[in-house]
């Protein structure tokens, strides 16, 4: 296993947390099992009221723990973590995830294809069923009905690329719970826009990556479990985010 405290690690994994203690063991154990390059883990806590920080400090002492001075949402929290990162590559990963594939496969895509800026991968539920994670930029209809933003399943078989497609498939944006990028590209566009608290920040990020001349791709060979996701209770945040994206 690679030591996460190696000097100049290949990868910095940034895990943002808010009251997610019930997910942390599965998430962090999966990282130590599947991150097969030199790496560091940066854990950013967004003012949790549970015992998340103490849990990580006690059970994963090599992890770099950062307690945010405020709960500034997804963008501010991840930008804070990236500001402390040393790796050539970044994996922005939700706390409620389980990585199930070697991460080097995604890094290989970025190393071999300089035209690619963001790598997203196959997202499943705990049973292994594919959850839509390859998306198109939202239209007016997409702002009203979130499901219209996903690439139609006719392009995929259970999340797998159809025969004849390359190992990756170009999309507009990918699910926010897993994004693999070069740190230099992330920093060159200023990271995630802090105009967004939650939702649409990754849409905006991938759009700005596109403006930089880089592509976002979906790699079905790499897989992870995501427990969370969009809920109707957060619909207002989604509408606010899409409205900001349209007037950007």
């Amino acid at each position: 296993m690679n030591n996460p405290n190696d000097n100049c690690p290949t990868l910095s994994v940034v895990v943002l947390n808010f009251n997610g203690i019930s997910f942390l063991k599965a998430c962090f154990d999966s990282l130590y099992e599947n991150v097969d390059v030199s790496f560091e883990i940066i854990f950013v806590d967004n003012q949790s009221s549970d015992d998340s920080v103490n849990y990580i400090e006690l059970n994963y002492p090599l992890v770099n723990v950062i307690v945010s001075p405020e709960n500034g949402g997804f963008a501010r929290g991840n930008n804070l973590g990236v500001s402390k990162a040393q790796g050539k590559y970044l994996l922005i990963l939700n706390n409620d995830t389980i990585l199930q594939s070697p991460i080097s496969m995604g890094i290989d895509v970025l190393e071999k294809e300089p035209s690619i800026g963001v790598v997203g991968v196959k997202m499943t539920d705990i049973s292994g069923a594919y959850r839509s994670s390859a998306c198109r930029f939202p239209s007016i209809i997409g702002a009203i009905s979130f499901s219209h933003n996903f690439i139609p399943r006719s392009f995929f078989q259970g999340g797998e690329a159809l025969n004849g497609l390359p190992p990756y498939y170009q999309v507009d944006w990918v699910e926010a719970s897993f994004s693999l990028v070069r740190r230099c590209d992330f920093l060159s566009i200023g990271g995630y826009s802090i105009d967004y608290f939650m939702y649409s920040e990754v849409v905006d990020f991938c759009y700005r990556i596109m403006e930089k001349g880089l592509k976002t791709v979906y790699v079905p060979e790499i897989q992870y479990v995501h427990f969370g996701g969009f809920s109707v209770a957060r619909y207002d945040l989604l509408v606010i985010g899409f409205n900001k994206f349209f007037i950007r």
Side-chain angles (χ1 to χ4, degrees), residues 115-128:
S115 64
I116 293 174
V118 180
V119 170
V121 302
K122 182 179 178 181
M123 178 175 69
T124 76
D125 62 22
I126 192 61
S127 73

Side-chain angles (χ1 to χ4, degrees), residues 64-80:
N64 181 3
V65 176
I66 301 172
V67 178
S68 176
E70 60 176 338
N71 182 355
F74 182 94
R76 287 182 185 273
N78 279 302
N79 287 350
L80 175 60

Side-chain angles (χ1 to χ4, degrees), residues 222-234:
I222 306 171
Q223 182 170 312
Y224 73 109
V225 173
H226 185 204
F227 291 97
F230 174 71
S231 68
V232 175
R234 295 173 175 175

